[in-house]
Amino acid sequence: MFTKNDLIHAIKNMGICHTDTLLIHSSMKAIGEVEGGADTVLDAFMEYLSEGLLLLPTHTWANMSETYNRFDSDKEPSCVGLLSNLFMKRPGVVRSLHPTHSMAAYGKDSKEYIKGEEAVTTPCAEGGCYDRLRARNGKILLLGVTHARNTFMHSVEEVLRVPERFTEHPVRFEIVMPDGSIKESQVYRHFNKMSAHISENYDKLAEAFYDCNAAKKVTFGNADCILCDANGIFEVMKKVLAHEINCLIEREVIPKIWWSEKN
């Protein structure tokens, strides 16, 4: 059984700094038995990043629809795991107002970081919460999951204008604002006619990320993890997609020469 000290030691061994901005996609089950359970996992990350910024996705894309379309950040549960649901309810944690791809934040300038998400029209908009990781030299920890859960890659595709990623028309949502008023929002959903879940194709770039030092293998408890550099992920994707903009959907294998130093 892992203790909080064991987990803090694991975070340090990854090369994460106390001042880092860190986004975590997670599988609690993959970690194994922890003394105190999921709360201890959150305690470890929140204490270690006491001078930084800790981010967890609190997505609701599986819940929200054309008929169930009112998003209340204080009440709507996350559809992406136990840790995200516990985290967003903790004292000092704030949650963005994106109706399908909200994010919870804790630490320095957390309120400023998540600001303005009620005004975007796509899941991971350019300049939004996910894209902001680049300006902060942020890191992404895939804790017991793979790039198929790496939402930052959606934001890279948005910045690079990858086609055929959204529904033809936006969905109308209602967002409950902090003062209780209702803001209407029109947001496109992720969609591709060739792939039911676009993100399932993202693991095709795993080798490229390792080769270019944009990601490395680490461990946390029993979980096999991937620690990513946001800017590194962006640059590798930019280089690969320059050869064929929709290669993640249209190709089974991505040619290594597309990201090699010689090319």
Side-chain angles (χ1 to χ4, degrees):
M1 182 175 290
F2 297 101
T3 66
K4 184 172 71 173
N5 284 339
D6 292 332
L7 301 182
I8 289 175
H9 186 67
I11 299 170
K12 182 179 180 180
N13 281 347
M14 292 180 197
I16 294 171
C17 300
H18 295 289
T19 55
D20 276 341
T21 294
L22 179 69
L23 168 67
I24 302 175
H25 290 281
S26 60
S27 166
M28 180 62 201
K29 183 179 179 180
I31 300 170
E33 290 194 41
V34 176
E35 185 178 274
D39 281 312
T40 298
V41 173
L42 292 176
D43 287 343
F45 279 106
M46 293 172 79
E47 288 181 23
Y48 189 87
L49 290 165
S50 59
E51 301 172 57
L53 181 66
L54 178 62
L55 307 167
L56 268 74
T58 51
H59 297 173
T60 54
W61 49 262
N63 316 342
M64 306 299 292
S65 67
E66 292 183 358
T67 54
Y68 184 78
N69 67 344
R70 178 166 289 192
F71 174 69
D72 187 337
S73 63
D74 290 334
K75 300 177 181 178
E76 193 62 37
S78 163
C79 66
V80 286
L82 174 62
L83 290 175
S84 66
N85 277 289
L86 291 175
F87 181 64
M88 69 184 184
K89 296 297 183 183
R90 287 199 159 200
V93 174
V94 292
R95 187 184 188 186
S96 72
L97 296 175
H98 195 297
T100 62
H101 285 70
S102 62
M103 181 185 287
Y106 176 81
K108 64 180 183 183
D109 68 357
S110 56
K111 290 183 179 179
E112 185 65 25
Y113 188 89
I114 63 166
K115 189 176 180 180
E117 289 289 277
E118 68 277 10
V120 303
T121 59
T122 59
C124 306
E126 183 173 0
C129 278
Y130 284 95
D131 188 35
R132 289 170 194 164
L133 285 169
R134 292 190 294 141
R136 298 284 290 259
N137 294 314
K139 296 175 181 175
I140 304 150
L141 178 62
L142 304 176
L143 199 169
V145 299
T146 70
H147 292 288
R149 300 294 177 265
N150 190 349
T151 306
F152 176 73
M153 293 175 69
H154 281 297
S155 77
V156 176
E157 290 194 314
E158 290 204 30
V159 173
L160 298 179
R161 305 291 191 269
V162 177
E164 301 175 32
R165 288 298 183 266
F166 304 124
T167 51
E168 183 178 356
H169 302 290
V171 175
R172 178 185 176 275
F173 295 107
E174 295 179 347
I175 300 172
V176 179
M177 300 298 289
D179 63 2
S181 63
I182 303 298
K183 176 179 174 56
E184 182 176 318
S185 173
Q186 299 280 341
V187 179
Y188 291 88
R189 308 297 299 266
H190 283 139
F191 176 76
N192 178 269
K193 62 184 178 181
M194 296 174 61
S195 180
H197 299 285
I198 298 167
S199 60
E200 297 299 329
N201 297 279
Y202 289 164
D203 280 327
K204 293 178 183 180
L205 286 177
E207 182 184 0
F209 295 146
Y210 290 136
D211 284 354
C212 298
N213 297 315
K216 66 178 181 179
K217 296 178 181 180
V218 294
T219 58
F220 184 81
N222 289 333
D224 293 326
C225 308
I226 306 170
L227 183 64
C228 310
D229 171 74
N231 280 301
I233 295 291
F234 181 89
E235 291 302 324
V236 173
M237 289 186 68
K238 182 179 178 181
K239 192 170 187 178
V240 171
L241 270 57
H243 291 270
E244 189 176 312
I245 192 69
N246 235 332
C247 62
L248 292 177
I249 298 294
E250 297 173 351
R251 282 182 174 264
E252 286 298 318
V253 178
I254 309 299
K256 186 169 184 176
I257 194 172
W258 286 7
W259 71 80
S260 68
E261 290 297 325
K262 295 179 181 179
N263 188 30

